[in-house]
Amino acid sequence: QVQLVESGGGLVQPGGSLRLSCTAAGYELDAYAVGWFRKVPGKGREGISSISKSAGRKYYADFVRGRFTISRDMATSVVYLEMNNLKPEDTAIYYCAARTTLPGQSTWWDEGQYDFWGQGTRVTVSS
């Protein structure tokens, strides 16, 4: 069972930035495609971005394109989500998820496509 660990959440003012990290305890995250999701109370988890094992393919939700960037560091086996120009509506618990191959363009955003999940890190955007 791959256990993912998110970090980097916190409180930030509107317009600010945060960088979230995702690692795999006891495993090499390089062996997995990784997605980032977020959840607000009363709603299901929504897909934000996803990256293939090689980092050759990346997907973004329309509501974060141009503000968020997904990347991975093969040397340290970490996947990042760089979040810029944060808005109050970005307030949520952010999760990373993994599976062995990247889902296609029509399904990468579907939480049911991913096999392993972290516990989440809270991001609050407020003045």
Side-chain angles (χ1 to χ4, degrees), residues 47-98:
I48 300 168
S49 184
S50 194
I51 188 169
S52 63
K53 284 184 285 190
S54 68
R57 279 190 298 154
K58 302 175 185 179
Y59 298 122
Y60 293 96
D62 287 343
F63 56 84
V64 301
R65 188 172 288 116
R67 298 190 299 128
F68 292 10
T69 302
I70 194 170
S71 63
R72 64 192 313 160
D73 185 330
M74 302 299 190
T76 58
S77 202
V78 179
V79 174
Y80 298 102
L81 184 69
E82 184 77 34
M83 305 187 296
N84 298 312
N85 190 22
L86 283 161
K87 305 174 182 180
E89 53 264 41
D90 294 318
T91 296
I93 298 176
Y94 284 69
Y95 301 87
C96 65

Side-chain angles (χ1 to χ4, degrees), residues 4-126:
L4 304 180
V5 180
E6 303 93 341
S7 61
L11 173 64
V12 63
Q13 292 186 340
S17 299
L18 282 175
R19 187 176 74 165
L20 306 183
S21 301
C22 176
T23 58
Y27 291 84
E28 292 294 328
L29 197 55
D30 300 347
Y32 299 90
V34 175
W36 283 97
F37 292 76
R38 68 187 185 187
K39 188 179 188 310
V40 297
K43 296 179 66 176
R45 279 189 284 211
E46 58 181 1
I48 300 168
S49 184
S50 194
I51 188 169
S52 63
K53 284 184 285 190
S54 68
R57 279 190 298 154
K58 302 175 185 179
Y59 298 122
Y60 293 96
D62 287 343
F63 56 84
V64 301
R65 188 172 288 116
R67 298 190 299 128
F68 292 10
T69 302
I70 194 170
S71 63
R72 64 192 313 160
D73 185 330
M74 302 299 190
T76 58
S77 202
V78 179
V79 174
Y80 298 102
L81 184 69
E82 184 77 34
M83 305 187 296
N84 298 312
N85 190 22
L86 283 161
K87 305 174 182 180
E89 53 264 41
D90 294 318
T91 296
I93 298 176
Y94 284 69
Y95 301 87
C96 65
R99 56 171 280 166
T100 53
T101 58
L102 184 67
Q105 188 169 2
S106 62
T107 58
W108 68 266
W109 47 267
D110 180 2
E111 64 177 302
Q113 295 291 319
Y114 296 81
D115 301 310
F116 309 107
W117 290 84
Q119 295 298 308
T121 185
R122 183 178 298 274
V123 171
T124 303
V125 185
S126 175

